[in-house]
């Protein structure tokens, strides 16, 4: 089932950051959400994932209304996300960051040796998958920004989400690590995970995406394949300034 919003709206003071946005993302695909700065993309992400409560409208996932569901329950329902600015624990090691990401909800669960061994093995496996296994014992604050982005993605994967929402994964990342992030998205998508990616790097968007949604002033103004969106006059005017 896809993730859908209907008339989703969020205002801050007199400014409508998200304005009656009705969007359907394609399951099993790499969806991109693009638009000018201030067009409401991150606020839209925050509404969908329960970080902020919308003023009106609905969000449905797998056919279920999750509009008023707390963020931690949305995560357990199968939606993982990263943030525009990395949310990591700088004084913990890379390995410890991943273990914290799947901390058991009660003390008893945290003390079960089998769970501890399983989580540790999964954490090491994911550090290897994103290419930073050699940094397992390094404090997160000592990693480069691109490596921190990879660490954050590994933390998202610890919960094994079906849908992954990435907020500007290319921001501040050098070309080599950017290529690694792109390859990971392709690999994970090939395994059946749905992606929704907010990104300003148009080369990355056009090379990765199957389906693109363009926001302007808090609402979608165009949807389609990368080629369709690239040629849309409304997009050229709002996003590219043509």
């Amino acid at each position: 089932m896809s993730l859908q919003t209907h008339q989703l709206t969020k205002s801050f003071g007199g400014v409508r950051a998200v304005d009656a946005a009705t969007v359907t993302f394609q399951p099993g695909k790499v969806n991109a959400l693009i638009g000018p700065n201030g067009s409401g993309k991150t606020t839209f992400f925050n509404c969908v994932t329960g970080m902020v409560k919308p003023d009106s409208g609905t969000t449905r996932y797998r056919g279920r209304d999750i509009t008023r569901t707390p963020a931690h329950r949305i995560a357990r329902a199968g939606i993982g996300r990263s943030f525009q600015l990395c949310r990591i624990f700088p004084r913990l090691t890379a390995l410890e960051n991943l273990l914290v990401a799947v901390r058991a909800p009660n003390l008893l669960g945290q003390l079960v040796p089998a769970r501890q061994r399983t989580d540790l093995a999964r954490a090491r496996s994911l550090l290897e998958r994103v290419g930073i296994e050699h940094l397992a014992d390094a404090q997160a604050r000592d990693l480069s920004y691109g490596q921190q982005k990879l660490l954050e993605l590994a933390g998202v994967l610890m919960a094994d989400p079906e849908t992954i929402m990435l907020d500007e994964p290319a921001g501040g990342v050098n070309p080599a690590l950017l290529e690694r992030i792109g390859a990971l998205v392709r690999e994970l998508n090939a395994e059946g995970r749905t992606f929704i990616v907010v990104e300003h790097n148009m080369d990355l968007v056009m090379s990765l995406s199957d389906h693109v949604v363009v926001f302007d002033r808090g609402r979608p103004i165009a949807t389609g394949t990368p080629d369709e969106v690239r040629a849309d006059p409304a997009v050229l005017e709002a996003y590219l300034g043509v």
Side-chain angles (χ1 to χ4, degrees):
M1 297 293 291
S2 62
L3 190 152
Q4 303 170 311
T5 67
H6 180 71
Q7 298 288 301
L8 200 66
T9 300
K10 180 63 182 180
S11 297
F12 297 100
V15 177
R16 279 200 172 189
V18 179
D19 186 9
T22 296
V23 184
T24 297
F25 295 104
Q26 296 184 356
K29 304 293 185 180
V30 177
N31 301 266
L33 178 61
I34 66 174
N37 286 326
S39 59
K41 303 180 299 296
T42 294
T43 301
F44 179 83
F45 259 35
N46 288 340
C47 288
V48 167
T49 57
M51 303 300 293
V52 300
K53 292 182 179 180
D55 301 325
S56 61
T58 58
T59 301
R60 300 186 69 84
Y61 182 60
R62 295 175 177 169
R64 173 189 165 199
D65 189 338
I66 61 169
T67 312
R68 302 294 172 182
T69 304
H72 68 281
R73 291 185 180 174
I74 290 176
R76 290 178 187 169
I79 300 177
R81 72 162 292 182
S82 71
F83 293 84
Q84 191 171 354
L85 299 176
C86 284
R87 292 198 178 186
I88 57 173
F89 295 95
R91 294 182 181 276
L92 296 183
T93 67
L95 184 62
E96 290 167 342
N97 265 270
L98 298 198
L99 296 175
V100 168
V102 290
R103 184 174 55 189
N106 55 61
L107 179 60
L108 181 60
Q110 295 176 42
L111 296 177
V112 175
R115 179 188 173 94
Q116 293 174 345
R117 289 193 297 271
T118 298
D119 288 347
L120 182 60
R122 179 166 176 76
R124 291 191 181 279
S125 175
L126 287 172
L127 287 177
E128 182 176 2
R129 178 155 200 186
V130 303
I132 56 172
E133 68 278 7
H134 60 293
L135 298 170
D137 297 322
Q139 288 190 330
R141 63 181 177 179
D142 294 330
L143 275 59
S144 71
Y145 192 66
Q147 290 167 339
Q148 290 178 1
K149 289 271 191 178
L150 289 168
L151 176 62
E152 186 180 36
L153 176 56
V156 171
L157 293 173
M158 280 293 289
D160 198 23
E162 180 185 63
T163 298
I164 299 175
M165 303 177 70
L166 302 179
D167 195 350
E168 295 195 24
V173 178
N174 71 45
L177 290 180
L178 178 56
E179 185 175 335
R180 181 61 187 144
I181 291 171
L184 281 167
V185 170
R186 292 186 188 95
E187 292 169 11
L188 292 163
N189 176 243
E191 295 170 6
R193 299 182 199 269
T194 299
F195 278 85
I196 305 171
V197 183
V198 164
E199 186 51 65
H200 288 289
N201 185 318
M202 296 305 295
D203 289 337
L204 182 66
V205 166
M206 295 304 171
S207 66
L208 278 183
S209 305
D210 304 298
H211 179 72
V212 181
V213 178
V214 185
F215 258 40
D216 187 35
R217 299 179 185 178
R219 63 170 59 194
I221 59 169
T223 62
T225 66
D227 287 341
E228 289 170 342
V229 164
R230 188 188 283 118
D232 191 303
V235 178
L236 295 174
E237 180 179 354
Y239 190 71
L240 302 177
V242 176

